[in-house]
Amino acid sequence: MAGFDWFWKAMGGQQGRNQKRSKAIVQRADELRRDLWQLDDAALAARVTNSTVADDPALLLACLSVAAHRTIGMVPFDVQNQAVLRLLEGDVVHMATGEGKTLVGAMAATGFALSGKRVHVMTVNDYLADRDAEWMRPLVEFFGLSVASVTEKLTPEQRRAAYRSDVVYAPVSEIGFDVLRDQLITSRDQAVQHGADVALVDEADSVLVDEALVPLVLAGNEPGRAPTGKIVNVVKRLRLGAHYTVDDDRRNVFLTDAGAAAVERALGITSLYNDEHVGSTLVQVNLALHAQELLVRDVHYIVRDGKVALIDASRGRVADLQRWPDGLQAAVEAKEGLAVSEGGRILDTMTLQALVGRYPMVCGMTGTAVEATDQLRQFYDLRVSVIDRHKELQRFDEADRIYATEAEKNDAIVAEIIALNSVQRPVLVGTHDVAESEALATRLRGHGIEVSVLNAKNDAEEARIIAEAGDLGRVTVSTQMAGRGTDIRLGGTDEADRDAVVELGGLAVIGTARHRTSRLDNQLRGRAGRQGDPGTSVFFVSLEDDVVAVGGAGESVTAHPAGDGRIDSKRVQDFVEHCQRVTEGQLLEIHAQTWKYNKLLADQRVIIDERRANLLDTPRAWEELSARSPERAASISELPQEVLEQAAREIMLYHLDRGWSEHLALLDDVRESIHLRAIAKETPIDEFHRIAVAEFKELAQRAVTEAVDTFNTVRIDAAGAHLADEGLARPSATWTYMVGDNPLAGGGKSVIGSLSAMFR
Ligand code: ADP
């Protein structure tokens, strides 16, 4: 915050963040602009110094404005300048679609960078990161600053270079995955990120609220842990009771002495429990046994296209992106006689909320911030500033059209689209999931209507399509996530048919059902009526819709539908609103509860981070190990000091990382099972905290003890510590994924799904 003390001083702290003051600054910036316009580029750039940023916001704004005009040909509107001021102060600005947030974000990012802060501009996808970085590059570079984008396709070297820039545009997921991968490095020069001071979040409510608890996951292969075919066959012949037992809640299997003997005989080995086998063969036998006995086909998983797909028990659906850790996946594959993929384990996970929490300063922009005010304050201590529209809103939002049944509603939606299309008026339909989009498109095509369908699969391609959604005769069907951040101009991108479309009433937005929060409804409505354009929006609702069923659970409303199923009643209208408020409340509660669990892990991660940084950047590892095991240290003391330090570092980091990953897995289990303890009159969250804190303490101690053991036994020579020889290899490959998609848009899964079940 240091650079913006002027704002705090000027505002008198919390209280006075009044619009008046910032309008006065904008006004003064306008006046200054006229003089600055005379300066040549170099002189203009030189006007902004570190102290300008801190002391003279009007001058800063004026310089940024003139530079924006010269470099990208846009003179920022007053409302845009106000938004820039608010961002610099650390607010989330509420600015409607089409008001020019890209320019606003770039001006603020440049302002931050001019005060020496590194800024991460978080976008919702790769396409927007590239587009915005390229579009805004001339403005940032005008002041001698650097800008880059980071996207999925970049190599580690390219990322490392990109992250050195003053302003970095990147999807929030890429930034998060890079943070996770940087937690695995064993020497500082492998890091791709170099820290950042400010997170400027685009579509802030999507990222900070809707997707806040979606975990980013880093998984790694685990060489040698998958059971061999031979072991699987041996295990198949074992008998329950005689060779192994299962505990009461069917979570664990145990080999009996007779079982162990049978396996040893079949494999021709002397003991499963000696040093040679305990870390490998025995692990494989246990995995194979677990897969065989505890995981039941069509209950815990299905086999589809030659692959094992997990079933999410809480929702009874296939969880596509999930795998079992620790070679268990491979064990099940072997049991089913399928091609065995390499075993994997989850190395680290982090929610977007925890990621954003790492930045000293956060600000953001979105068209629907006001509706998220409570969440932004509660979870991030962020305030919302509403920025006026440049031109008044001309869009007309119709009242919901309500039907008794879903079938009647769908008929009405199709009829409405046909009617709009018959006069060539462009229509944008927002659906809740891909299947619904496809079904609707098929019906419309049956009526001879050409339809573009967007499924959030190819962002660049979909951005091109949605950009044309305002053209004459277009019908575009899109899920909530698709084509975000793209401007819809009336009459097409070239605006050739603008007059005709304006004449017809502009873009018609249709929602096929209300969302679980009105905020998501408003995101969809916001697609129409940009920059004073005409347009309309309407939602179709049926009493069978999810939001009505969930939000109105236990309540019913008497309705008297017309012949086509339409219900035209203020009371039913109110009931639908009520249902949505209930689901909004539920989501907020789930978010709050879930965050209580995640918060503790986020705090523990900070401690792990510090420990890791200490081990990476100092000779601490060597000092600790040699102090604890002086004889061993003496025996290798003829090796060069760097070799010793690096060997010690790798040993300690290995056990620390391994411990953290096991800690996460354990707490996941605890979290899953803890609601059972609630029956025993313990508060789940308190109990969770107690276990998490105790386990964490143990993790820290164990990591050190194990490191000392390894230090004593592992071969250390001029090439370093030979950890792989001891079965302590780091994963040679890692992969990343996000668990589930937007839980609010339907089709989501996991944490939110299972936790909502748990808090019911
Ligand atoms: P948002 O992200 O707020 O929906 P964009 O950043 O995509 O909006 O901008 C919408 C459109 O408005 C873009 O085509 C952009 O070129 C244009 N625009 C933004 N600011 C200005 C300005 N000050 N002068 C002229 N055009 C602008």
Side-chain angles (χ1 to χ4, degrees):
M1 281 301 300
F4 300 94
D5 290 343
W6 52 267
F7 214 105
W8 289 104
K9 276 185 230 135
M11 298 287 123
Q14 292 279 2
Q15 275 300 318
R17 290 177 318 102
N18 52 41
Q19 299 273 4
K20 242 193 210 152
R21 169 77 191 175
S22 73
K23 280 183 181 154
I25 295 174
V26 169
Q27 183 88 46
R28 202 173 116 61
D30 258 353
E31 292 157 14
L32 287 171
R33 194 148 65 177
R34 274 169 234 136
D35 299 335
L36 292 173
W37 188 246
Q38 319 292 329
L39 301 176
D40 67 18
D41 288 1
L44 178 62
R47 280 305 297 274
V48 193
T49 60
N50 229 325
S51 64
T52 319
V53 182
D55 304 329
D56 195 347
L59 179 62
L60 171 66
L61 267 189
C63 291
L64 287 169
S65 294
V66 176
H69 190 177
R70 287 194 192 168
T71 52
I72 34 192
M74 291 195 268
V75 183
F77 308 126
D78 285 357
V79 284
Q80 288 178 307
N81 280 333
Q82 268 155 31
V84 173
L85 280 179
R86 290 310 199 191
L87 286 175
L88 290 173
E89 200 220 347
D91 278 2
V92 173
V93 298
H94 176 103
M95 264 184 114
T97 318
E99 292 286 306
K101 286 189 281 295
T102 317
L103 176 60
V104 166
M107 288 172 67
T110 307
F112 281 122
L114 282 167
S115 69
K117 291 177 160 55
R118 181 178 282 132
V119 188
H120 286 174
V121 183
M122 299 182 169
T123 63
V124 291
N125 59 42
D126 279 0
Y127 164 74
L128 291 172
D130 278 341
R131 184 199 74 174
D132 293 355
E134 286 323 304
W135 190 7
M136 296 296 144
R137 172 180 301 283
L139 171 62
V140 183
E141 291 182 344
F142 182 88
F143 293 96
L145 300 164
S146 54
V147 56
S149 55
V150 174
T151 55
E152 194 186 350
K153 61 179 188 290
L154 262 53
T155 63
E157 289 71 35
Q158 290 169 322
R159 284 168 195 264
R160 197 168 295 128
Y163 278 117
R164 286 199 194 285
S165 302
D166 300 300
V167 178
V168 182
Y169 283 85
V172 58
S173 53
E174 283 309 308
I175 293 178
F177 289 142
D178 282 329
V179 168
L180 291 177
R181 283 185 287 248
D182 273 359
Q183 301 284 331
L184 292 185
I185 58 172
T186 51
S187 74
R188 186 52 83 184
D189 57 358
Q190 296 164 341
V192 304
Q193 291 195 351
H194 322 286
D197 306 290
V198 183
L200 196 163
V201 188
D202 196 8
E203 309 278 359
D205 60 328
S206 295
V207 174
L208 299 179
V209 179
D210 299 338
E211 287 159 35
L213 296 175
V214 173
L216 300 164
V217 180
L218 177 69
N221 65 339
E222 202 147 25
R225 286 182 78 97
T228 60
K230 188 167 179 194
I231 288 178
V232 170
N233 283 330
V234 170
V235 167
K236 269 190 185 147
R237 295 199 296 270
L238 300 180
R239 295 284 152 263
L240 177 65
H243 296 124
Y244 61 93
T245 57
V246 176
D247 63 5
D248 288 342
D249 56 3
R250 291 193 62 81
R251 290 181 80 89
N252 295 295
V253 281
F254 306 96
L255 212 51
T256 61
D257 289 346
V263 173
E264 286 156 3
R265 254 194 325 277
L267 295 177
I269 60 176
T270 47
S271 170
L272 272 175
Y273 298 95
N274 69 19
D275 283 355
E276 187 190 343
H277 295 292
V278 78
S280 53
T281 318
L282 182 61
V283 172
Q284 294 184 31
V285 169
N286 278 325
L287 285 171
L289 204 51
H290 189 112
Q292 176 181 301
E293 184 59 32
L294 300 183
L295 297 176
V296 181
R297 183 165 170 166
D298 296 327
V299 173
H300 299 107
Y301 63 94
I302 57 167
V303 175
R304 190 173 64 181
D305 305 331
K307 291 200 180 77
V308 168
L310 275 67
I311 294 176
D312 176 352
S314 66
R315 308 183 88 200
R317 294 198 198 162
V318 173
D320 279 323
L321 281 172
Q322 280 208 319
R323 295 169 57 89
W324 285 295
D326 271 43
L328 193 54
Q329 182 89 11
V332 175
E333 287 160 349
K335 164 185 163 188
E336 294 293 341
L338 305 169
V340 172
S341 59
E342 223 168 345
R345 71 183 271 124
I346 292 177
L347 303 171
D348 205 351
T349 71
M350 181 172 45
T351 61
L352 296 187
Q353 186 159 351
L355 172 67
V356 171
R358 297 166 60 91
Y359 289 80
M361 182 166 191
V362 178
C363 58
M365 356 182 241
T366 168
T368 39
V370 169
E371 299 91 325
T373 302
D374 290 348
Q375 286 94 329
L376 293 172
R377 189 203 313 269
Q378 183 175 344
F379 300 121
Y380 302 93
D381 200 19
L382 284 170
R383 288 148 316 174
V384 171
S385 278
V386 179
I387 306 297
D388 292 339
R389 286 171 189 266
H390 176 54
K391 291 187 187 154
E392 217 174 302
L393 180 68
Q394 301 293 336
R395 187 185 70 226
F396 178 66
D397 299 325
E398 273 183 55
D400 294 349
R401 296 194 202 168
I402 305 175
Y403 293 81
T405 67
E406 199 171 333
E408 286 160 334
K409 178 186 81 170
N410 288 337
D411 290 348
I413 292 171
V414 171
E416 174 75 3
I417 296 169
I418 292 173
L420 291 164
N421 181 253
S422 70
V423 296
Q424 296 276 82
R425 184 161 169 207
V427 186
L428 175 70
V429 188
T431 67
H432 288 235
D433 57 47
V434 175
E436 193 194 343
S437 292
E438 295 293 349
L440 178 61
T442 306
R443 279 191 72 175
L444 291 171
R445 286 180 187 128
H447 290 276
I449 295 177
E450 223 178 282
V451 188
S452 310
V453 182
L454 278 67
N455 292 335
K457 283 191 181 134
N458 180 340
D459 294 316
E461 174 65 20
E462 293 181 358
R464 267 194 296 281
I465 297 173
I466 201 131
E468 298 294 347
D471 205 357
L472 268 186
R474 292 271 172 167
V475 176
T476 311
V477 176
S478 167
T479 55
Q480 183 79 4
M481 311 291 279
R484 291 195 283 187
T486 306
D487 210 23
I488 303 180
R489 291 170 184 238
L490 300 186
T493 37
D494 58 1
E495 302 186 76
D497 291 315
R498 183 179 162 84
D499 293 346
V501 173
V502 168
E503 188 68 22
L504 287 166
L507 179 67
V509 165
I510 292 177
T512 59
R514 293 281 287 259
H515 295 84
R516 294 211 174 169
T517 77
S518 57
R519 191 163 43 75
L520 297 179
D521 292 346
N522 291 342
Q523 282 177 9
L524 178 61
R525 291 192 207 274
R527 295 292 201 152
R530 69 173 275 283
Q531 294 279 345
D533 282 347
T536 57
S537 76
V538 63
F539 278 83
F540 285 75
V541 176
S542 94
L543 297 183
E544 294 175 347
D545 286 356
D546 255 10
V547 60
V548 180
V550 174
E555 298 176 57
S556 63
V557 61
T558 37
H560 304 287
D564 61 355
R566 175 105 187 244
I567 303 166
D568 204 359
S569 135
K570 177 79 174 67
R571 209 165 36 79
V572 177
Q573 201 93 294
D574 291 345
F575 177 67
V576 171
E577 298 279 346
H578 161 77
C579 292
Q580 192 178 49
R581 276 195 302 276
V582 171
T583 55
E584 278 173 358
Q586 285 171 345
L587 285 171
L588 184 58
E589 179 61 18
I590 292 170
H591 191 157
Q593 291 292 349
T594 311
W595 179 240
K596 278 189 196 160
Y597 284 83
N598 286 318
K599 173 80 174 66
L600 183 71
L601 276 178
D603 292 344
Q604 292 184 337
R605 170 192 297 285
V606 172
I607 298 171
I608 294 281
D609 275 10
E610 280 166 8
R611 170 79 173 156
R612 257 198 140 259
N614 196 250
L615 292 173
L616 274 175
D617 300 330
T618 72
R620 179 69 185 262
W622 170 251
E623 288 161 13
E624 270 193 58
L625 290 179
S626 54
R628 280 168 192 268
S629 193
E631 278 170 32
R632 172 63 171 163
S635 76
I636 48 176
S637 61
E638 79 285 357
L639 291 167
Q641 189 63 18
E642 315 92 76
V643 172
L644 293 174
E645 284 176 8
Q646 185 59 22
R649 185 173 289 136
E650 285 175 18
I651 292 169
M652 293 206 86
L653 287 173
Y654 177 88
H655 289 288
L656 184 68
D657 295 347
R658 177 93 199 176
W660 175 245
S661 130
E662 280 166 3
H663 184 63
L664 290 175
L666 177 87
L667 291 188
D668 224 34
D669 280 351
V670 171
R671 186 146 76 167
E672 291 263 308
S673 63
I674 205 158
H675 58 293
L676 297 174
R677 298 175 199 233
I679 300 164
K681 292 232 165 42
E682 288 172 282
T683 320
I685 186 72
D686 293 342
E687 178 66 359
F688 178 80
H689 271 226
R690 196 182 58 69
I691 297 173
V693 169
E695 289 293 334
F696 189 71
K697 218 178 258 167
E698 213 164 280
L699 140 71
Q701 278 158 9
R702 200 171 46 233
V704 174
T705 335
E706 286 175 356
V708 174
D709 286 350
T710 302
F711 180 62
N712 284 334
T713 53
V714 74
R715 185 156 59 92
I716 299 176
D717 57 24
H722 292 257
L723 286 165
D725 293 357
E726 305 267 305
L728 306 180
R730 285 185 166 271
S732 57
T734 61
W735 59 92
T736 54
Y737 55 90
M738 289 174 86
V739 179
D741 38 3
N742 184 348
L744 303 181
K749 74 142 305 282
S750 89
V751 189
I752 304 242
S754 52
L755 276 167
S756 57
M758 166 174 161
F759 287 111
R760 218 166 271 147

